Amino acid sequence: MGHSSTIQSAGGIRYVSGGIGESERNELNALSSQFNLHLLFATQGSGEYLSAVRVNILDTQDAPVLTAESKGPWFYAQLPPGDYSIEVTPTGRRGQDETQRKTVHLDGSSQARFDFYWKK
């Protein structure tokens, strides 16, 4: 079947990434309701998607909850309710090592979506 959008688990946190090409985006759209955190990575202006982004999710004590490499511009995770910091660092040629950080509060029901853009 060659589905690249395999749901993975690290430390009890489920996540999935991908979104390169229409079929992967359709797959991830179908899975999106299972995840309460949705991240998107792109280049400013052109809207060109970025992949190979390192995602580091930390709790309020800055202890890592999830560290993963996004295989595409979309990254979904299912986190327990709480407050988190999200650090994302592109590892590809563009925007290398320009970490962006955002904080998020997740309750039990809502979904949070963040779009991260890097300059060319």
Side-chain angles (χ1 to χ4, degrees), residues 55-72:
V55 178
N56 198 16
I57 299 173
L58 309 162
D59 66 16
T60 49
Q61 277 80 47
D62 269 351
V65 175
L66 174 65
T67 302
E69 178 101 1
S70 185
K71 294 186 174 60

Side-chain angles (χ1 to χ4, degrees), residues 100-119:
Q100 295 189 34
R101 183 175 172 126
K102 294 186 180 180
T103 53
V104 57
H105 172 77
L106 294 169
D107 57 33
S109 55
S110 63
Q111 293 185 334
R113 179 185 162 144
F114 293 102
D115 297 348
F116 291 93
Y117 292 97
W118 285 269
K119 297 186 183 70

Side-chain angles (χ1 to χ4, degrees), residues 24-117:
E24 273 191 29
R25 286 198 282 276
N26 291 339
E27 268 177 58
L28 284 173
N29 269 333
L31 296 171
S32 64
S33 62
Q34 301 179 36
F35 298 94
N36 59 5
L37 181 67
H38 297 176
L39 308 181
L40 168 77
F41 313 119
T43 305
Q44 230 164 22
S46 70
E48 198 178 319
Y49 285 148
L50 285 182
S51 54
V53 175
R54 193 164 59 252
V55 178
N56 198 16
I57 299 173
L58 309 162
D59 66 16
T60 49
Q61 277 80 47
D62 269 351
V65 175
L66 174 65
T67 302
E69 178 101 1
S70 185
K71 294 186 174 60
W74 292 5
F75 185 91
Y76 299 162
Q78 178 63 31
L79 297 168
D83 293 293
Y84 300 95
S85 296
I86 305 159
E87 290 183 349
V88 292
T89 309
T91 60
R93 291 188 307 280
R94 263 195 306 284
Q96 188 160 11
D97 293 339
E98 288 183 30
T99 299
Q100 295 189 34
R101 183 175 172 126
K102 294 186 180 180
T103 53
V104 57
H105 172 77
L106 294 169
D107 57 33
S109 55
S110 63
Q111 293 185 334
R113 179 185 162 144
F114 293 102
D115 297 348
F116 291 93
Y117 292 97

Side-chain angles (χ1 to χ4, degrees), residues 6-17 35 65-68 71 75-78:
T6 311
I7 295 176
Q8 296 170 278
S9 180
I13 308 280
R14 293 166 65 251
Y15 67 96
V16 65
S17 69
F35 298 94
V65 175
L66 174 65
T67 302
K71 294 186 174 60
F75 185 91
Y76 299 162
Q78 178 63 31

